[in-house]
Amino acid sequence: MQKKTAYSFPDEILEHVFSFIHSGKDRNAASVVCKSWYEIERWCRRKIFVGNCYAVSPTMVIRRFPDIRSIELKGKPHFADFNLVPDGWGGYVLPWISEMAGAYPWLEEIRLKRMVVTDESLELVAKSFTNLQVLVLFSCEGFSTDGLAAIAASCKNLRELDLRDSEVDDLSGHWLNHFPDTYTSLVSLNISCLGSDDVSFSALERLVGRCPNLRRLLLNREVPLDKIANLLSRAPQLIEFGTGTYAAELRSDVYSNLAEAFCNCKELKCLSGFWDAVPAYLPVIYSVCSRLTSLNLSYAPIQNPDLTKLVSQCPSLQRMLVLDYIEDSGLEVLASSCKDLQELRVFPSDPFGEEPNVSLTEKGLVAVSSGCPKLQSVLYFCRQMSNAALVTIAQNCPNFTRFRLCLLDPKIADYRTLQPLDVGFGAIVEHCKDLRRLSLSGLLTDRVFEYIGMHAKKLEMLSVAFAGESDLALHHVLSGCESLRKLEIMNCPFGDKALLANAAKLETMRSLWMSSCSVSLGACKMLGQKMPRLNIEVMDEKGPPDSRAESDPVDKLYIYRSVAGPRFDMPPFVWTMDEDFASELS
Amino acid sequence: MSENGEGGGRTRGHMGPIIITPSTTFFSLLILHLTQNPYNFLLFLVMEGGLVLLGGGANGGGSGGSSGFSTNESAMSEASSYLAETELELGLGLSIGGPTGKINKASGRILTAKDFPVPRRASMNGGTPPSVTVSGTKRAADQSVPHDGGSPTATSQVVGWPPIRSYRMNSLVNNNQAKAPRAEEEHKGINEEEEEEEDKAIKDGSKQKKPNENLGHIGFIKVNMDGIRIGRKVDLNAHSSYHSLASALENMFVRSAGAEKQQLTMPSKLLDGSSEFVLTYEDKEGDWMLVGDVPWMMFLTSVRRLRIMKTSELRDSTKGTELKEVN
């Protein structure tokens, strides 16, 4: 029943036009032009992204979008990666699977991040979605190889199975045998997280051998080096490959087989794995190096000069992940060899040692910023930094979109001037106008937050630890960062005032995490009462909030906007602050 | 379905120009549809008189800020009454008090830095807790860094720092352990002396003599209990003794057990062999040992995962011969 005007298009035409719009954001924008566009759009939306699984309920999603083929869900807050979210917090995918099972029988793609996935959920997936093509479980937990077996047995159209960084309970290595002999559609397989008993190698070999479209294969650590040549020879069409353990006694037959196998992979562009790597076997990949666009050596304890030599042979590198064994000298070589570099991540090899074990300082990052004009994304762990270096880096790389610096001593000052690092990070936000993600560390006062509020207008995600002096800092961020979606804070003296004054801002963001800060229980309750569209979750393992004074700070606070109301699956140590909570106590 | 009392500040009756930008979010558009109001993009509310918590309807001395922070208790009551009379309303940042209509009694104003009294700077030494300058929250501040042993270089003592995923941390453990067998032997020597001190509960378990012990990151390890399919994880950092670990495990498995509840006896007797279950662990050599055998600190360095095993199975299995009896 559409009101006809001279300017209205038939639905079919609009639907056809919409079929060219893929981005969720653009689709959302189109859906609010008018009611009829909303209706047409919702019927033809096929792909949906839910950044917080508690922001909306599966019922609501299904009601609005009746025919979804691809869903992406995220569960726990990001700081769960660092053990800040206790076990049992939530993020269960089963309610979603249960409802989608009936509503979306043609579902093709399921991508989950930081969610709890049980074997029961996986079995339900296997049973309900016969057309499943993509299953990505990124940083998930709660399932075992039994669940994987169910998927393998039932999902005949599966193209992509990616378990990256998930925690899988290993019950049996034979789940791979559950892929029927007739199954040949595998394109991408990432089992790098699996433990020792989880993979039957012969089943893996057979699987790889019968899937001619396999392009991406990431093995787990337990696959020994001498088995890789065989595997690669069955899949020379691979584009991305992750080795298992890369250590073995040097044997000429193993060496030459490997070298030949790699040489035959003419399309190989991405390499990873390299656990326990020994230098002796590095040269086997030299034939591939010139084509490599992505190299992940962050699990490889290789040091210079072998490491630098390897890097110098990869002029096409766009993405480099490495341990700090590369040192400043290696990064200088990287800077001069890899002019296409876009992303660099340098991880610490000994994060808890009191003395530096390698010579990796701010100089390495400065060198890369200077030599690599396309550098956009940085994650850098080191032990010293100066404002001058940060200013130089900012000036060299105005195109940064992601900048994450982690100084291992979280409150360390500029090592040359002993000043806080406010000016340095200020330069980053001032010069890098497209910065979307920023992580701060080092000695930082309220000033850096003033700069961030003033300049970081495109910033979407900010991570802060051990920084700032007062609520003013938090206020700068909440009031100034227009694009802010996710804010996570640990161990900062931020409290009630900034939070309450900027309460409305919280509804424009996906979530706010604050742990070991100074937010009082009373403020949480007030927010809970006044902001019905926010879920204010207080987390405390020591005991219920009503056993303490209102002015006591809460241990952990997680605030997120939701149209689904408070959730009902909270563990005993999480409390929602809402009207009910307040009236219960009074 | 409008929000709490749509008062002024909203244009009714005509949609007006709708700005569609690629950056509009799903959520706000969902709300947008429901309220038929394109101007529901929320910034934040500010009331005249400054912050909600400061000085109520003060005479606006110094642009609404009071000379210092009031204590939280009085601020809360002030704020409540303040809020009651002015209705916390979600309003525009763009045209507060402007032609879009009345916004209640008070006209809004964007908060500026002037509204926040600047705290006195403390000396920025490494050892100073970060929030010492803010009065009124001082008590809170002392608790705000519970894990910090005082020295900022003791990064291993703070949960969540450095921000490295446990998956990667475990890999580092393997690398470092392979390289440092000598460090372990020294550590064993130290532990023998510490044996008597083990019972003195150390709150944050941070008494580490060797900096390179990889203890700080141990964090969560897996625990499986016989009869329960999926394991849980326990944070070893949070415990300083076997007793506290055992009672945590009891809470974890008794609470979540559900149907298995009836089978569970008090696992806090896990350690003395009197319950139906016994607590065992796999050490880094792959052997399964009875928990409680070695000093706590040594246990921390060698434990890989835990298993709550049925006592009957322990007796029957050949593994029983490898486990030492504890007394």
Side-chain angles (χ1 to χ4, degrees):
Chain A
M1 280 229 311
Q2 183 186 340
K3 191 168 82 165
K4 299 262 187 246
T5 73
Y7 302 105
S8 71
F9 285 110
D11 289 3
E12 297 78 19
I13 301 221
L14 274 174
E15 198 175 314
H16 185 66
V17 171
F18 288 158
S19 71
F20 294 100
I21 304 178
H22 301 295
S23 134
K25 289 179 177 163
D26 292 342
R27 282 231 163 208
N28 293 342
S31 71
V32 290
V33 167
C34 61
K35 266 188 173 161
S36 62
W37 281 38
Y38 176 88
E39 278 299 308
I40 295 165
E41 193 283 318
R42 76 183 188 91
W43 279 96
C44 66
R45 173 112 46 146
R46 297 286 171 257
K47 186 169 176 170
I48 197 145
F49 168 77
V50 180
N52 175 2
C53 65
Y54 291 119
V56 67
S57 73
T59 313
M60 289 166 151
V61 172
I62 291 169
R63 193 166 60 213
R64 179 172 172 185
F65 300 112
D67 192 5
I68 292 293
R69 307 289 168 93
S70 165
I71 186 159
E72 183 174 348
L73 289 171
K74 295 190 180 180
K76 299 185 203 173
H78 173 239
F79 273 176
D81 285 351
F82 314 130
N83 288 342
L84 282 169
V85 176
D87 203 31
W89 175 86
Y92 306 105
V93 79
L94 187 59
W96 286 85
I97 305 291
S98 306
E99 290 207 45
M100 292 194 301
Y104 298 146
W106 306 117
L107 195 65
E108 294 168 3
E109 302 183 354
I110 299 176
R111 294 181 171 84
L112 307 176
K113 186 169 182 180
R114 273 184 228 112
M115 295 199 74
V116 175
V117 181
T118 56
D119 284 347
E120 185 188 350
S121 309
L122 288 176
E123 281 153 21
L124 192 53
V125 166
K127 196 170 65 166
S128 317
F129 306 120
T130 51
N131 203 26
L132 191 71
Q133 295 170 27
V134 172
L135 182 61
V136 176
L137 303 177
F138 187 171
S139 257
C140 295
E141 55 165 356
F143 61 102
S144 76
T145 46
D146 284 358
L148 295 178
I151 298 284
S154 308
C155 299
K156 300 178 178 36
N157 294 312
L158 195 67
R159 285 186 288 115
E160 182 176 337
L161 179 62
D162 188 333
L163 307 175
R164 51 189 292 204
D165 293 352
S166 289
E167 283 199 32
V168 185
D169 277 352
D170 39 342
L171 297 179
S172 148
H174 299 291
W175 67 276
L176 274 173
N177 285 323
H178 288 254
F179 281 109
D181 290 336
T182 48
Y183 170 75
T184 58
S185 2
L186 197 61
V187 173
S188 167
L189 181 65
N190 178 355
I191 49 172
S192 52
C193 63
L194 292 183
S196 44
D197 296 322
D198 295 344
V199 175
S200 148
F201 191 75
S202 54
L204 180 63
E205 267 188 326
R206 285 196 307 276
L207 180 63
V208 168
R210 66 178 185 269
C211 294
N213 296 323
L214 190 65
R215 296 299 203 167
R216 184 169 175 260
L217 177 63
L218 278 69
L219 303 172
N220 59 331
R221 191 176 192 160
E222 275 64 31
V223 175
L225 189 55
D226 55 2
K227 301 270 202 192
I228 289 184
N230 249 344
L231 215 48
L232 280 178
S233 62
R234 289 166 202 243
Q237 73 281 4
L238 280 179
I239 298 178
E240 184 174 348
F241 181 63
T243 74
T245 186
Y246 206 75
E249 271 179 31
L250 186 55
R251 283 170 42 195
S252 56
D253 54 338
V254 173
Y255 185 100
S256 54
N257 286 342
L258 260 179
E260 191 183 336
F262 273 109
C263 194
N264 286 334
C265 294
K266 302 287 183 202
E267 299 185 66
L268 204 51
K269 291 218 176 61
C270 307
L271 280 180
S272 58
F274 296 108
W275 281 282
D276 320 307
V278 294
Y281 278 104
L282 285 184
V284 305
I285 64 170
Y286 282 179
S287 59
V288 185
C289 282
S290 58
R291 286 193 299 270
L292 279 184
T293 57
S294 168
L295 182 58
N296 183 352
L297 293 170
S298 62
Y299 296 103
I302 320 175
Q303 309 196 18
N304 292 333
D306 305 295
L307 184 51
T308 305
K309 183 167 181 207
L310 179 58
V311 163
S312 63
Q313 310 215 15
C314 306
S316 313
L317 267 190
Q318 295 171 15
R319 188 166 183 261
M320 175 86 199
L321 281 71
V322 72
L323 286 172
D324 56 8
Y325 291 131
I326 194 161
E327 300 194 317
D328 292 338
S329 54
L331 288 176
E332 275 155 32
V333 170
L334 183 71
S336 59
S337 314
C338 306
K339 294 304 181 184
D340 287 339
L341 196 70
Q342 295 172 19
E343 179 176 352
L344 174 68
R345 298 192 189 202
V346 179
F347 295 97
S349 53
D350 184 19
F352 297 106
E354 281 184 2
E355 296 300 319
N357 59 329
V358 292
S359 173
L360 180 94
T361 68
E362 82 283 7
K363 299 181 184 59
L365 187 56
V366 171
V368 177
S369 74
S370 160
C372 303
K374 299 188 189 169
L375 193 64
Q376 276 183 16
S377 171
V378 167
L379 170 60
Y380 199 74
F381 285 81
C382 63
R383 290 171 193 272
Q384 71 183 40
M385 188 50 61
S386 68
N387 284 310
L390 281 171
V391 170
T392 306
I393 291 166
Q395 289 167 341
N396 287 340
C397 292
N399 295 326
F400 273 156
T401 54
R402 288 186 285 266
F403 187 74
R404 295 192 278 163
L405 178 65
C406 178
L407 296 167
L408 290 170
D409 176 354
K411 289 188 294 221
I412 196 168
D414 177 328
Y415 76 100
R416 289 165 63 187
T417 64
L418 300 182
Q419 291 298 302
L421 289 169
D422 301 335
V423 169
F425 280 105
I428 294 281
V429 292
E430 190 181 341
H431 289 274
C432 306
K433 306 237 180 282
D434 292 326
L435 197 67
R436 294 196 312 260
R437 185 166 178 188
L438 178 64
S439 297
L440 307 173
S441 61
L443 184 65
L444 295 164
T445 72
D446 287 351
R447 291 208 75 189
V448 69
F449 297 98
E450 192 184 333
Y451 297 142
I452 291 172
M454 204 186 318
H455 294 289
K457 296 303 179 188
K458 298 243 181 100
L459 193 67
E460 296 178 5
M461 183 168 176
L462 178 64
S463 310
V464 183
F466 301 99
E469 306 153 290
S470 76
D471 276 22
L472 189 55
L474 181 56
H475 172 67
H476 283 309
V477 170
L478 289 177
S479 58
C481 297
E482 293 163 1
S483 310
L484 197 64
R485 292 190 294 119
K486 290 180 281 184
L487 179 57
E488 46 185 27
I489 303 172
M490 57 179 272
N491 298 76
C492 294
F494 304 153
D496 306 341
K497 296 162 190 59
L499 211 52
L500 289 172
N502 293 284
K505 169 72 173 175
L506 298 175
E507 282 202 14
T508 69
M509 294 163 52
R510 182 188 298 174
S511 65
L512 167 66
W513 168 281
M514 294 179 73
S515 57
S516 301
C517 295
S518 309
V519 182
S520 74
L521 179 62
C524 295
K525 284 199 211 161
M526 186 181 305
L527 272 177
Q529 281 180 316
K530 292 293 172 184
M531 309 291 293
R533 289 189 300 201
L534 292 179
N535 281 355
I536 315 288
E537 292 185 8
V538 166
M539 209 180 309
D540 201 322
E541 291 175 279
K542 291 194 280 294
D546 53 3
S547 62
R548 289 197 312 272
E550 298 252 320
S551 55
D552 272 355
V554 297
D555 186 24
K556 290 173 180 149
L557 174 63
Y558 186 52
I559 299 177
Y560 57 92
R561 62 185 182 184
S562 177
V563 288
R567 58 183 177 116
F568 298 110
D569 60 357
M570 292 179 294
F573 51 84
V574 176
W575 290 269
T576 292
M577 307 281 119
D578 55 14
E579 302 91 21
D580 301 329
F581 182 88
S583 57
E584 260 168 36
L585 305 174
S586 57
Chain B
M1 53 155 286
S2 316
E3 266 309 292
N4 43 357
E6 287 214 316
R10 306 209 196 197
T11 52
R12 301 293 215 130
H14 80 101
M15 296 281 274
I18 298 167
I19 303 146
I20 299 173
T21 68
S23 65
T24 344
T25 64
F26 169 72
F27 177 88
S28 55
L29 291 170
L30 193 58
I31 299 296
L32 214 59
H33 166 70
L34 295 171
T35 61
Q36 284 297 306
N37 189 327
Y39 291 119
N40 204 5
F41 288 95
L42 311 162
L43 290 181
F44 59 92
L45 165 80
V46 182
M47 288 300 184
E48 185 182 62
L51 295 173
V52 169
L53 278 185
L54 290 179
N59 51 10
S63 56
S66 43
S67 55
F69 293 134
S70 44
T71 60
N72 284 345
E73 289 83 4
S74 57
M76 285 307 150
S77 54
E78 275 177 349
S80 316
S81 58
Y82 187 72
L83 285 173
E85 80 185 275
T86 53
E87 277 176 66
L88 185 65
E89 180 183 322
L90 310 169
L92 289 175
L94 301 170
S95 55
I96 289 188
T100 48
K102 52 186 179 4
I103 304 184
N104 276 325
K105 303 131 196 166
S107 60
R109 167 175 67 77
I110 306 284
L111 267 187
T112 62
K114 292 190 301 235
D115 300 311
F116 290 84
V118 177
R120 257 165 294 144
R121 288 185 114 78
S123 56
M124 286 294 158
N125 300 333
T128 311
S131 47
V132 74
T133 54
V134 178
S135 65
T137 56
K138 190 170 171 96
R139 182 158 54 102
D142 288 340
Q143 297 171 20
S144 72
V145 211
H147 299 280
D148 194 343
S151 158
T153 59
T155 55
S156 57
Q157 299 169 17
V158 181
V159 177
W161 193 267
I164 300 175
R165 304 170 87 172
S166 44
Y167 182 46
R168 187 173 290 283
M169 253 345 164
N170 291 340
S171 166
L172 289 178
V173 174
N174 288 332
N175 285 346
N176 287 336
Q177 278 182 351
K179 283 186 178 161
R182 281 185 57 227
E184 276 172 28
E185 283 163 11
E186 290 169 58
H187 178 75
K188 276 185 184 142
I190 292 171
N191 254 333
E192 272 149 32
E193 292 155 22
E194 281 187 18
E195 218 172 316
E196 310 85 33
E197 296 183 26
E198 186 207 295
D199 289 335
K200 295 176 191 156
I202 305 161
K203 180 74 175 92
D204 57 358
S206 61
K207 235 192 200 166
Q208 301 167 39
K209 302 243 168 83
K210 301 288 291 178
N212 210 13
E213 269 314 314
N214 302 318
L215 283 181
H217 79 282
I218 286 283
F220 286 67
I221 63 162
K222 281 190 190 178
V223 188
N224 283 80
M225 179 160 176
D226 285 0
I228 296 183
R229 202 127 186 271
I230 294 294
R232 302 291 304 274
K233 280 180 293 188
V234 64
D235 182 1
L236 285 185
N237 270 335
H239 302 285
S240 51
S241 72
Y242 287 118
H243 178 73
S244 111
L245 174 63
S247 44
L249 291 177
E250 168 198 333
N251 285 338
M252 200 179 280
F253 284 94
V254 170
R255 260 197 187 142
S256 61
E260 290 96 339
K261 229 181 210 166
Q262 301 88 327
Q263 299 169 23
L264 298 176
T265 56
M266 291 295 287
S268 54
K269 298 184 195 136
L270 272 175
L271 298 176
D272 62 14
S274 66
S275 90
E276 191 189 328
F277 289 89
V278 70
L279 186 57
T280 63
Y281 73 101
E282 184 187 35
D283 69 7
K284 54 183 187 294
E285 270 112 43
D287 299 323
W288 285 90
M289 317 284 277
L290 209 56
V291 165
D293 210 18
V294 299
W296 173 254
M297 295 301 267
M298 186 186 289
F299 168 71
L300 283 186
T301 60
S302 54
V303 62
R304 275 295 173 77
R305 53 181 168 160
L306 294 169
R307 181 177 161 195
I308 304 176
M309 197 191 276
K310 284 201 161 85
T311 319
S312 51
E313 197 180 310
L314 172 63
R315 275 187 241 112
D316 294 343
S317 76
T318 54
K319 284 188 190 154
T321 57
E322 293 171 13
L323 297 178
K324 304 188 185 89
E325 284 294 324
V326 89
N327 213 3

